[in-house]
Amino acid sequence: MNQVNIVHAIEQWAQKDPERIAYREEQQTYTYGQLAARSDQLAAYLEETVESHGPIVVYGELEFDMLIAFLAASKTGRAYIPIESTTPKERIELILSVAKPDQIISVAEWQGPATTIPMLNLQQLKDIYQSGRERCNTKAVGEDDPYYIIFTSGTTGVPKGVQISHRNLLSFVNWTLKDFSLREGMHYLAQAPYSFDLSVMGLYPALTSGGCLVPLKKAVVNDFKTLFAVLPNLDINVWISTPSFMKLCLMEPTFDGAHVPQLERFLFCGEELPKKIAHELLERFPEAKIYNTYGPTEATVAVSGVQLTKELLEQYDRVPIGYVKEDSAVFFMDDEQLLPKGQVGEIVISGPSVSKGYLNNPEKTNEVFFTLEGQPAYRTGDSGRMTEDGLLHYEGRIDFQVKFHGYRMELEEIDHHLSNNDWVKQAVVVPKYQEKKVEQLIAYVVPETHHFEKEFQLTKAIKALLSETVMEYMIPQRFIYVEQLPYTANGKIDRKRLINEVNPS
């Protein structure tokens, strides 16, 4: 199933078997024929009405219409930018200011800022599907053109738009289908929001191989009773999630191979996989293949993977993050010095899945993207090492960027928004670890003069304002109020001292 073009691969399934199910909700299914026809209509509309070739924002959750909009954008040679409908208004405003999109397709009801950017709502989309337009331009997105742009956290409070090209995506999809033995027509869990690049691990391997996506929406995930009722009845073959979400699901005792025998592949990415979860999965699903993978958004979802066995887990203290895919390479650096294999250093990824950089942000691009041995390369900020047989091991972050519940974030971005809070004079956020994994975000805050009688009232007020500017998962779970923050000899806030304070050895 080696693919040469993402759009054509999806279209071929629509031509060969238009009634094949591409997307299956609880009460409704959608076919490849519908996906192709509706995206054709929307692509024709975009060709008629949007003159320039800037990116297109697609706003929603996990609706089938999101896929239609993605494919329509690709068919017209434009990159799409997925924005989850729960994103705070101010963050959307920042994304729009960086991306300068030509069009917004609002599948969900628009909750973003007022804007002059042309916008289509769901009813208008439905009208377009029935319009009978014919596409006059068949030029799909080019090999080195951005296919999608996903915005991640930025140190200055402004999100960074990671540009992933068609070449990048193709490298990832072909590796995923081959190395994880994903067959034609498998059913994939779609739980991660499309604004989180973990979603790509299911989205394009599924659609290019004639598979079916099965969404598990936020309303279900957030209602434990409903979630636990759904899990044993999930009709899927491939599970894709963060370890944090799996930890939650394992609270349901009937979520096992006896109740879900068709579940035969588990793919984990987005954060470190704890050994305890890996062991429990091997016991519950003894017939399934369980893979741990690793990679940053900037290198297209993941670049390494390994099948987990009890023998492998017993061999190492931490779960290995895999063997690097054959078209890529991993190096280790100490500042600008390349280190021999086996030494611990910053993980640097090179190869065809490395992004060309951040959208409209040359300064940040030049900090971490460069050319190494003639290949595009990216400095991950992760510390790691490689064994003699090529097995990659993660050793932690080398900076103040963390992963929490699978979401990567810059602690300094949360600091930035906290410090702009009406009730905050100064603030710094630090991670609290359990078994080498971020368990909690803790904010040290020097408060402004306030009228609250109790600390919890102040905390509630700070959280309420903070929720208007950052994603829910970025809001610290605990607040510690201090008269002043510690400083280093250089006059900088001593974050490391606070990290050691909350993580005593």
Side-chain angles (χ1 to χ4, degrees):
M1 284 193 296
N2 204 52
Q3 311 296 354
V4 295
N5 184 282
I6 298 296
V7 175
H8 293 167
I10 298 170
E11 292 274 276
Q12 281 174 0
W13 290 109
Q15 293 163 11
K16 186 164 59 174
D17 188 2
E19 295 306 310
R20 179 184 284 253
I21 304 300
Y23 206 74
R24 175 169 53 80
E25 295 180 333
E26 192 175 353
Q27 304 296 330
Q28 193 167 3
T29 59
Y30 299 91
T31 67
Y32 276 85
Q34 289 172 312
L35 178 59
R38 294 179 187 183
S39 59
D40 269 349
Q41 296 297 313
L42 181 53
Y45 172 88
L46 294 173
E47 287 165 354
E48 284 178 20
T49 60
V50 183
E51 292 184 6
S52 57
H53 265 67
I56 292 174
V57 163
V58 186
Y59 176 86
E61 194 190 338
L62 290 173
E63 299 88 349
F64 181 63
D65 297 275
M66 296 281 282
L67 303 191
I68 294 168
F70 297 165
L71 190 54
S74 303
K75 285 179 175 180
T76 65
R78 295 174 171 89
Y80 67 84
I81 300 171
I83 298 181
E84 192 182 3
S85 54
T86 56
T87 304
K89 190 179 292 187
E90 186 174 310
R91 184 176 174 85
I92 296 173
E93 201 162 12
L94 289 170
I95 290 172
L96 297 181
S97 70
V98 172
K100 300 176 176 57
D102 289 335
Q103 177 80 48
I104 296 171
I105 298 174
S106 187
V107 172
E109 185 178 349
W110 180 252
Q111 301 292 328
T115 177
T116 58
I117 300 166
M119 187 182 302
L120 291 173
N121 61 33
L122 186 56
Q123 185 54 56
Q124 290 170 309
L125 280 180
K126 289 178 177 176
D127 292 341
I128 289 168
Y129 301 156
Q130 305 298 323
S131 64
R133 287 180 171 85
E134 290 188 13
R135 284 175 59 205
C136 55
N137 176 6
T138 56
K139 183 185 179 299
V141 66
E143 190 176 43
D144 292 314
D145 294 335
Y147 196 98
Y148 65 79
I149 301 164
I150 282 183
F151 276 80
T152 65
S153 186
T155 54
T156 61
V158 178
K160 297 177 295 191
V162 183
Q163 303 176 88
I164 298 299
S165 71
H166 183 266
R167 184 198 300 271
N168 297 153
L169 182 57
L170 204 58
S171 168
F172 169 73
V173 168
N174 283 328
W175 167 68
T176 305
L177 290 170
K178 179 186 173 186
D179 276 37
F180 305 129
S181 305
L182 301 174
R183 304 181 309 277
E184 172 190 325
M186 298 180 89
H187 288 220
Y188 293 69
L189 176 68
Q191 176 266 327
Y194 293 128
S195 56
F196 182 15
D197 78 327
L198 177 63
S199 64
V200 176
M201 187 172 275
L203 179 54
Y204 290 107
L207 294 181
T208 58
S209 64
C212 176
L213 290 161
V214 182
L216 193 61
K217 295 188 176 178
K218 188 162 278 188
V220 174
V221 172
N222 291 342
D223 181 344
F224 288 180
K225 186 177 179 181
T226 305
L227 174 64
F228 295 157
V230 166
L231 285 175
N233 301 303
L234 273 177
D235 186 14
I236 57 171
N237 311 118
V238 184
W239 177 283
I240 296 165
S241 81
T242 61
S244 291
F245 182 61
M246 176 51 70
K247 183 178 180 181
L248 173 65
C249 295
L250 288 174
M251 292 168 62
E252 170 50 49
T254 62
F255 183 53
D256 57 24
H259 292 85
V260 198
Q262 67 275 27
L263 189 43
E264 54 181 277
R265 297 279 190 284
F266 289 87
L267 304 181
F268 292 103
C269 199
E271 62 182 348
E272 187 170 5
L273 176 62
K275 287 182 75 172
K276 187 176 179 181
I277 292 176
H279 275 300
E280 188 165 355
L281 275 172
L282 287 169
E283 289 174 9
R284 289 205 192 190
F285 293 88
E287 302 301 317
K289 292 184 177 179
I290 300 163
Y291 296 93
N292 191 31
T293 73
Y294 163 80
T297 305
E298 287 86 347
T300 319
V301 190
V303 294
S304 67
V306 62
Q307 184 181 344
L308 302 182
T309 62
K310 288 182 180 178
E311 294 73 27
L312 186 74
L313 294 178
E314 286 167 4
Q315 196 174 347
Y316 302 104
D317 290 337
R318 296 169 86 155
V319 180
I321 55 177
Y323 296 96
V324 179
K325 61 194 186 81
E326 61 185 2
D327 67 357
S328 300
V330 160
F331 300 86
F332 302 89
M333 296 185 78
D334 180 10
D335 291 327
E336 302 304 315
Q337 182 82 28
L338 278 173
L339 301 173
K341 190 167 75 172
Q343 288 193 23
V344 174
E346 181 181 7
I347 298 173
V348 175
I349 299 166
S350 77
S353 61
V354 173
S355 164
K356 68 177 179 181
Y358 302 118
L359 180 67
N360 299 327
N361 195 338
E363 183 182 345
K364 290 294 179 187
T365 296
N366 292 334
E367 284 180 13
V368 290
F369 291 95
F370 63 109
T371 300
L372 182 60
E373 298 185 358
Q375 290 288 322
Y378 170 70
R379 303 187 70 139
T380 65
D382 289 329
S383 176
R385 61 184 174 84
M386 187 178 281
T387 59
E388 281 300 315
D389 68 344
L391 187 57
L392 192 57
H393 291 261
Y394 173 74
E395 299 289 339
R397 291 295 302 173
I398 63 169
D399 55 14
F400 296 133
Q401 189 184 82
V402 299
K403 281 193 175 179
F404 184 52
H405 293 328
Y407 292 97
R408 188 184 64 174
M409 63 195 79
E410 303 273 3
L411 295 177
E412 289 156 303
E413 181 181 14
I414 311 175
D415 295 353
H416 169 84
H417 290 293
L418 256 182
S419 299
N420 287 339
N421 198 290
D422 291 347
W423 307 109
V424 176
K425 189 176 291 183
Q426 214 177 11
V428 64
V429 177
V430 297
K432 181 176 174 60
Y433 294 95
Q434 185 177 42
E435 298 178 346
K436 301 178 181 178
K437 180 181 167 187
V438 178
E439 179 197 41
Q440 195 180 46
L441 297 177
I442 298 176
Y444 279 84
V445 173
V446 179
E448 292 282 8
T449 304
H450 60 85
H451 61 271
F452 299 104
E453 293 180 7
K454 305 286 187 182
E455 278 190 358
F456 79 87
Q457 294 170 323
L458 173 60
T459 299
K460 186 177 179 182
I462 293 173
K463 283 185 172 183
L465 282 178
L466 192 58
S467 69
E468 295 175 6
T469 58
V470 303
M471 300 298 284
E472 183 181 355
Y473 57 78
M474 297 167 73
I475 298 175
Q477 291 73 53
R478 184 178 165 206
F479 285 70
I480 297 174
Y481 295 99
V482 294
E483 290 185 6
Q484 64 179 40
L485 296 171
Y487 286 85
T488 65
N490 294 331
K492 297 180 180 180
I493 294 173
D494 194 348
R495 193 192 304 262
K496 288 185 178 178
R497 177 175 155 186
L498 295 175
I499 291 174
N500 292 335
E501 193 171 295
V502 300
N503 298 284
S505 54

